[in-house]
């Protein structure tokens, strides 16, 4: 049986690492979670039981998609 370490896994790609940033961190005065909601329609709440972390690759892809969308 596979288990997922929610505290040390990326919310987007599920990679496990201790080098993850907060999904509620800011980029140009906007939370990454709000950018994810804008491009995917998925709202991330700070009280859900899923990971609150994001890897650098997923963060960069999220920002690229947001820029493309604009």
């Amino acid at each position: 049986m596979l288990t997922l370490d929610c505290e040390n896994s990326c919310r987007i790609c599920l990679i496990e690492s201790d080098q993850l940033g907060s999904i509620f961190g800011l980029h140009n005065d906007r939370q990454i979670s709000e950018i994810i909601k804008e491009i995917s329609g998925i709202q991330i709440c700070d009280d859900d039981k899923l990971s609150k972390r994001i890897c650098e690759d997923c963060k960069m892809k999220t920002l690229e998609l947001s820029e493309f969308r604009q």
Side-chain angles (χ1 to χ4, degrees), residues 18-44:
D18 58 355
Q19 302 290 317
L20 303 172
S22 171
I23 208 157
F24 298 107
L26 297 178
H27 178 78
N28 293 337
D29 297 325
R30 295 177 61 212
Q31 285 188 342
I32 302 298
S33 61
E34 287 299 316
I35 298 170
I36 291 170
K37 179 182 176 188
E38 189 178 276
I39 63 174
S40 70
I42 298 170
Q43 182 167 349
I44 299 172

Side-chain angles (χ1 to χ4, degrees), residues 8 10-11 14 17 23-24 30 34 36-37 39-40 42 46 54 60 66-67 69-70:
N8 294 311
C10 175
R11 176 76 173 245
L14 304 178
S17 173
I23 208 157
F24 298 107
R30 295 177 61 212
E34 287 299 316
I36 291 170
K37 179 182 176 188
I39 63 174
S40 70
I42 298 170
D46 61 353
I54 189 168
M60 298 316 297
S66 175
E67 186 176 316
R69 189 168 187 262
Q70 291 177 4

